[in-house]
Amino acid sequence: MRRSSDVRLIGKLSKAASRHRAKGQAIAAAVMCLLGVLAPSFADAAGIPAVTVTPSANGGQEYSLTLQILILMTAVTLLPGIVLMMTSFTRIVVVLAILRQALGAGQAPPNQVLIGLSLFLTLFVMGPVIDQINTEAVQPYVAGTIDATTALNRSTEPLKRFMLDQTRESDIATFVRIAGGEGFEKPEDVPLRILVPAFATSELKSAFQIGFLLFIPFVIIDLVVASVLMSMGMMMLSPVLISLPFKLMLFVLVDGWGLIMGTLAASFYIAS
């Protein structure tokens, strides 16, 4: 009986395998037919040049649509790095992170709130630069009055001017010396490969200077609370637990968020 049941099971498995094999052959035949229909279209598309660079009437260069899409996709992948290293985002997010550390409130506000607040404050600070890029580069390129190379050069000039206004000369000199250069006659002659790391270094310095000033009042509150607890003999009680409500109350009473946001935004305009 057991041998007969095994024989029937093997028969069922062989029938199922044959059915799956038949389905696979049918799918393969359908794919081959589809490829045969689409092959002429692929052959026609293969004749389209992927990269075409033609000289324009004003002495510049015009790129084919395929190359423009490739450049656009590359720029989109580099957009996070541009926002981090070439805008006011670095200073803002570092100062807000130091402020949260000085308050001692743990993860309040959370990282998502700090990043979102930093992004929108960055858009506010970079508003004049974005408007200038849109007016001088994007709109003329969309209208067809300038080519892609001219639009790219015009779009980098306002951003470069913003970074030069916020970068210390000592930081630029440091990276010029590392690169083995001899200096530049005008600040506008500094290339981006030197200006971008110098700007990021200068922004980190400014952020830590502002963060140091933010830490001072909260450290004073911690020292006062710790001294009072020591004088009362409550050495087992954590001073941070007692000082946190006082720090939050002080921060709210002086309108801390408004002062921080206003000071951060004004620091870029004052420096420029």
Side-chain angles (χ1 to χ4, degrees):
M1 294 293 295
R2 184 175 182 180
R3 182 175 299 176
S4 61
S5 61
D6 292 340
V7 170
R8 287 195 297 269
L9 179 60
I10 293 173
K12 291 180 180 180
L13 291 176
S14 60
K15 291 180 180 178
S18 61
R19 287 197 299 269
H20 286 296
R21 192 180 303 112
K23 290 181 180 179
Q25 292 175 354
I27 293 173
V31 171
M32 293 299 294
C33 292
L34 182 62
L35 290 177
V37 172
L38 296 180
S41 301
F42 289 153
D44 295 338
I48 300 176
V51 177
T52 302
V53 181
T54 57
S56 60
N58 56 359
Q61 291 179 341
E62 295 181 356
Y63 301 97
S64 62
L65 181 61
T66 306
L67 186 57
Q68 292 178 16
I69 294 175
L70 177 61
I71 295 174
L72 179 61
M73 296 302 296
T74 304
V76 169
T77 58
L78 295 177
L79 185 60
I82 294 174
V83 173
L84 287 174
M85 294 289 101
M86 300 178 67
T87 65
S88 59
F89 181 83
T90 300
R91 183 190 304 186
I92 295 172
V93 73
V94 170
V95 169
L96 293 181
I98 293 176
L99 173 63
R100 184 176 64 180
Q101 184 70 23
L103 283 172
Q107 293 297 318
N111 292 330
Q112 293 85 348
V113 175
L114 291 184
I115 296 298
L117 187 59
S118 302
L119 282 174
F120 280 98
L121 190 58
T122 299
L123 290 176
F124 172 78
V125 173
M126 302 296 296
V129 178
I130 296 174
D131 292 340
Q132 187 176 359
I133 293 174
N134 181 58
T135 304
E136 298 181 358
V138 177
Q139 294 301 327
Y141 177 71
V142 172
T145 57
I146 60 175
D147 55 14
T149 305
T150 306
L152 181 61
N153 293 332
R154 289 186 180 182
S155 62
T156 56
E157 288 177 0
L159 195 60
K160 189 175 180 180
R161 194 177 306 115
F162 170 81
M163 291 190 291
L164 285 171
D165 292 336
Q166 308 298 327
T167 307
R168 296 174 175 84
E169 294 183 0
S170 59
D171 295 327
I172 296 178
T174 299
F175 284 94
V176 170
R177 184 176 63 254
I178 294 173
E182 298 180 354
F184 303 93
E185 296 182 357
K186 298 182 297 182
E188 292 77 10
D189 297 335
V190 180
L192 288 177
R193 64 183 180 88
I194 293 178
L195 181 57
V196 172
F199 170 74
T201 304
S202 185
E203 285 294 282
L204 288 175
K205 288 181 181 179
S206 301
F208 276 89
Q209 289 176 356
I210 299 174
F212 171 76
L213 297 177
L214 287 176
F215 247 104
I216 293 177
F218 299 114
V219 170
I220 293 176
I221 294 177
D222 288 334
L223 290 176
V224 171
V225 171
S227 300
V228 172
L229 292 178
M230 287 287 291
S231 63
M232 296 176 65
M234 298 181 179
M235 292 174 289
M236 300 300 294
L237 186 61
S238 174
V240 178
L241 183 64
I242 305 300
S243 63
L244 179 59
F246 291 99
K247 291 190 287 187
L248 293 178
M249 181 182 63
L250 174 65
F251 192 70
V252 171
L253 289 177
V254 300
D255 191 18
W257 287 113
L259 290 175
I260 294 298
M261 297 296 105
T263 303
L264 280 174
S267 64
F268 294 95
Y269 294 105
I270 293 174
S272 59

